[in-house]
Amino acid sequence: MFSWLRSDDRRRKDPEVFQTVSEGLKKLYRTKLLPLEEHYRFHEFHSPALEDADFDNKPMVLLVGQYSTGKTTFIRYLLEQDFPGMRIGPEPTTDSFIAVMQGEMEGIIPGNALVVDPKKPFRKLNAFGNAFLNRFVCAQLPNPVLESISVIDTPGILSGEKQRISRGYDFAAVLEWFAERVDRIILLFDAHKLDISDEFSEVIKALKNHEDKMRVVLNKADQIETQQLMRVYGALMWSLGKIVNTPEVIRVYIGSFWSRPLLIPDNRKLFEAEEQDLFRDIQSLPRNAALRKLNDLIKRARLAKVHAYIISSLKKEMPSMFGKDNKKKELVNNLAEIYGQIEREHQISPGDFPNLKRMQDQLQAQDFSKFQPLKSKLLEVVDDMLAHDIAQLMVLVRQEETQRPAQIVKGGAFEGTLHGPFGHGYGEGAGEGIDDAEWVVARDKPMYDEIFYTLSPVDGKITGANAKKEMVRSKLPNSVLGKIWKLADIDKDGMLDDEEFALANHLIKVKLEGHELPNELPAHLIPPSKRKATE
């Protein structure tokens, strides 16, 4: 089954151990990528070494935003219950990083205890010191939502230099650490406070290279009128465009994520649709978790390779005896040229290189004489991993997806709209009349009958050609009209009787009103005279 493992590995280890993507990733990292990282001191420059818990942990959602944008309330809304350590208010209330996770009993684990727990993926946060660990806790509670995902609540981002310095730890660096490991980053904005402070701007820039994980929520949108909401949305997109330097537009969800009545209910349908889209995105995280970890390992491997080239190039340029300090200054100042040389020599994309300014700052404190020269064998092993082993793991990812039942987030707010009349779109579009005793199409059937009898029916039916003449007046494309025809021609005889013709016109009306057509005709839309035949 796992022919990609070396034969000596097969002899030493039972292949049963590697029946999951998680186990495969752990082995690849420990045996192929980690030696390269350690040899070139990757962990001192970029990111701490990964541990087993990083590959085993549930998908995580990181919430980031300025104070009073509704981050903690958003978690409360998803879980539909309070969690330990929760504080909500208009002032900056959450002053800690809170990892909200599944637990048999409610309780709080302080940061210093959390970073020594090998089962939690937070051990490497120890590097940020006591100033951070005193502001980091894990809130555990039994909740069905947390059986599938964990949520990280963060302190509200403030404005002003004094507040940033007074944290006592590198806030942006901590968020960057989390960003590398989470599956989704949600940036929350308050519809009343769109100003992006210096610290928030710095944080968003620190999340660079993780744009694929980022989503934006424009919260508290029920507090402003429709016209104002349009202006606020435009202003938000303009502000984000200046900070997030990507050609693609980040997905923005508009809504009001709390359990209180909407203050201005004009945009209720918009909020419901946006909430469902966001919920679907979050619910897909468990299904895509293995693929995300695989993708992150590939990104890490590419960065580790580039780092090895940079460090070995600096080592090669250093004199063996005299003038080391002067040469070091010269190399740091000319790092951009070294980047260009490596790019040309090894055909590496510019996007794979670490941030130039940050790398220069980090190199200032390093002893270049301790750097290692280029060791081709280590790089070849990583290249082999990227070329062959990762491809085999991709196959295993697909196998796991097909073998396991559908993995989605359940419980809490995700259950509230799944079933019953409060589900999104219930009783609208093709669902109209679902609870009515009378056939919903019958309301407009007299109008449709008048048209039907002008189309020369023979034996109570009109031909497809005659039906087409009337149906194309809707100006809908042929692909849509073809689907309507298949749904309406219930007895599949290539002709329409008066009931089928009325049904076809009802479905045209549904589509023209902006609703989607069903793939199969719902039971309540089947004409009463044909219901026994279809059973």
Side-chain angles (χ1 to χ4, degrees):
M1 181 177 179
F2 296 96
S3 58
W4 53 279
L5 289 172
R6 294 186 309 230
S7 58
D8 56 333
D9 275 340
R10 278 205 205 102
R11 283 194 294 271
R12 280 199 308 267
K13 280 243 185 216
D14 186 348
E16 291 290 324
V17 176
F18 303 103
Q19 286 200 341
T20 66
V21 175
S22 175
E23 290 297 329
L25 288 171
K26 287 180 203 173
K27 178 167 178 68
L28 287 182
Y29 178 71
R30 283 196 302 262
T31 60
K32 299 198 172 185
L33 184 54
L34 185 58
L36 179 72
E37 293 182 354
E38 291 176 338
H39 193 69
Y40 293 103
R41 305 165 77 172
F42 177 87
H43 309 135
E44 295 178 29
F45 287 84
H46 303 290
S47 175
L50 299 176
E51 298 191 331
D52 287 354
D54 291 308
F55 297 104
D56 293 333
N57 68 304
K58 297 171 187 172
M60 292 193 288
V61 178
L62 177 69
L63 300 182
V64 182
Q66 298 183 161
Y67 73 91
S68 195
T69 52
K71 297 185 296 298
T72 307
T73 306
F74 181 84
I75 300 174
R76 170 72 181 76
Y77 183 73
L78 292 184
L79 303 183
E80 291 189 341
Q81 76 177 89
D82 294 345
F83 57 88
M86 184 184 86
R87 290 172 59 208
I88 296 173
E91 75 282 2
T93 50
T94 303
D95 63 345
S96 301
F97 281 80
I98 303 178
V100 186
M101 307 182 82
Q102 175 73 8
E104 292 183 5
M105 297 181 66
E106 285 195 20
I108 288 180
I109 304 173
N112 280 289
L114 200 55
V115 295
V116 295
D117 185 350
K119 294 182 180 179
K120 296 283 193 296
F122 306 122
R123 282 161 60 96
K124 296 298 181 179
L125 284 169
N126 193 47
F128 293 102
N130 272 329
F132 166 70
L133 295 179
N134 291 335
R135 290 282 179 269
F136 178 44
V137 297
C138 174
Q140 289 191 321
L141 69 156
N143 186 281
V145 173
L146 299 177
E147 291 175 6
S148 305
I149 60 170
S150 301
V151 187
I152 312 295
D153 194 9
T154 61
I157 296 171
L158 305 168
S159 57
E161 189 70 20
K162 185 178 177 184
Q163 288 92 331
R164 183 157 72 247
I165 292 172
S166 67
R167 289 192 191 274
Y169 60 90
D170 192 337
F171 182 70
V174 172
L175 283 178
E176 189 175 356
W177 186 94
F178 275 108
E180 289 178 5
R181 289 158 177 79
V182 301
D183 297 71
R184 186 66 74 236
I185 303 166
I186 298 181
L187 303 178
L188 280 99
F189 289 86
D190 185 334
H192 287 283
K193 297 184 298 185
L194 278 189
D195 57 304
I196 298 178
S197 68
D198 294 342
E199 189 179 26
F200 199 10
S201 177
E202 184 183 317
V203 163
I204 295 174
K205 288 174 182 174
L207 301 179
K208 195 175 187 296
N209 300 325
H210 303 289
E211 289 91 348
D212 57 322
K213 299 179 181 181
M214 287 169 61
R215 303 289 186 269
V216 174
V217 169
L218 181 58
N219 202 13
K220 306 183 183 181
D222 66 318
Q223 299 176 16
I224 52 178
E225 303 281 353
T226 303
Q227 187 177 17
Q228 288 177 301
L229 183 58
M230 290 174 62
R231 291 173 178 162
V232 167
Y233 179 81
L236 175 61
M237 298 304 290
W238 180 80
S239 299
L240 287 172
K242 292 200 301 178
I243 300 171
V244 184
N245 296 317
T246 56
E248 303 87 9
V249 177
I250 294 178
R251 176 68 164 96
V252 176
Y253 299 91
I254 303 171
S256 186
F257 296 91
W258 63 350
S259 52
R260 298 186 186 178
L262 299 177
L263 294 180
I264 302 174
D266 298 2
N267 298 306
R268 184 187 187 102
K269 284 194 176 182
L270 170 66
F271 298 159
E272 288 175 356
E274 292 285 279
E275 181 182 282
Q276 288 304 307
D277 285 351
L278 178 59
F279 281 6
R280 274 194 292 268
D281 184 65
I282 295 173
Q283 285 181 301
S284 71
L285 296 180
R287 188 173 63 248
N288 300 325
L291 202 55
R292 193 275 302 169
K293 288 169 185 169
L294 188 63
N295 183 59
D296 284 355
L297 188 70
I298 295 169
K299 284 200 291 187
R300 188 180 180 98
R302 291 166 71 94
L303 179 59
K305 274 183 60 184
V306 173
H307 179 77
Y309 285 128
I310 295 169
I311 297 300
S312 58
S313 296
L314 294 172
K315 173 69 174 177
K316 185 180 177 182
E317 296 294 328
M318 284 297 286
S320 56
M321 295 289 289
F322 305 109
K324 290 185 179 181
D325 289 343
N326 289 334
K327 186 62 177 177
K328 174 182 172 179
K329 289 178 183 176
E330 180 189 327
L331 288 171
V332 171
N333 291 332
N334 296 333
L335 189 60
E337 295 176 16
I338 295 172
Y339 273 21
Q341 183 183 338
I342 294 170
E343 183 185 329
R344 291 187 298 272
E345 191 175 331
H346 301 284
Q347 289 83 49
I348 296 172
S349 167
D352 287 347
F353 285 82
N355 180 272
L356 179 64
K357 178 71 170 63
R358 181 173 171 184
M359 193 69 178
Q360 285 174 322
D361 292 342
Q362 289 174 319
L363 286 170
Q364 299 283 4
Q366 293 288 334
D367 183 355
F368 285 20
S369 64
K370 293 182 179 178
F371 287 172
Q372 298 293 329
L374 192 65
K375 194 172 180 180
S376 300
K377 176 98 172 155
L378 289 173
L379 288 161
E380 287 169 8
V381 168
V382 173
D383 284 335
D384 178 68
M385 179 189 85
L386 291 171
H388 302 106
D389 299 328
I390 293 295
Q392 294 298 328
L393 272 184
M394 279 293 295
V395 174
L396 188 54
V397 168
R398 299 305 176 202
Q399 287 177 0
E400 283 192 1
E401 287 179 354
T402 55
Q403 290 170 4
R404 291 180 180 177
Q407 292 178 295
I408 61 168
V409 182
K410 297 178 180 178
F414 299 99
E415 293 289 333
T417 58
L418 277 182
H419 308 291
F422 295 99
H424 178 62
Y426 188 92
E428 300 174 5
E432 183 185 356
I434 190 170
D435 294 326
D436 293 354
E438 183 188 358
W439 187 40
V440 66
V441 182
R443 299 172 192 169
D444 297 319
K445 190 171 182 296
M447 178 178 64
Y448 300 142
D449 283 348
E450 288 182 17
I451 302 170
F452 177 80
Y453 288 110
T454 64
L455 298 175
S456 309
V458 177
D459 296 330
K461 295 190 175 186
I462 57 172
T463 62
N466 284 344
K468 179 181 177 181
K469 291 177 186 175
E470 179 60 31
M471 290 172 72
V472 295
R473 292 180 187 234
S474 66
K475 299 181 182 178
L476 289 171
N478 284 346
S479 58
V480 175
L481 292 174
K483 184 173 183 178
I484 290 172
W485 173 272
K486 287 179 182 177
L487 291 170
D489 185 14
I490 294 169
D491 52 17
K492 309 299 178 191
D493 63 352
M495 305 178 80
L496 299 182
D497 61 22
D498 60 323
E499 287 183 328
E500 291 172 330
F501 181 74
L503 175 60
N505 279 277
H506 178 76
L507 292 173
I508 287 172
K509 175 184 162 192
V510 165
K511 187 63 181 175
L512 290 175
E513 288 175 349
H515 302 285
E516 291 300 317
L517 294 171
N519 292 320
E520 294 183 6
L521 192 67
H524 71 279
L525 287 183
I526 299 173
S529 64
K530 293 180 169 57
R531 287 179 185 173
K532 287 184 180 178
T534 58
E535 289 177 358

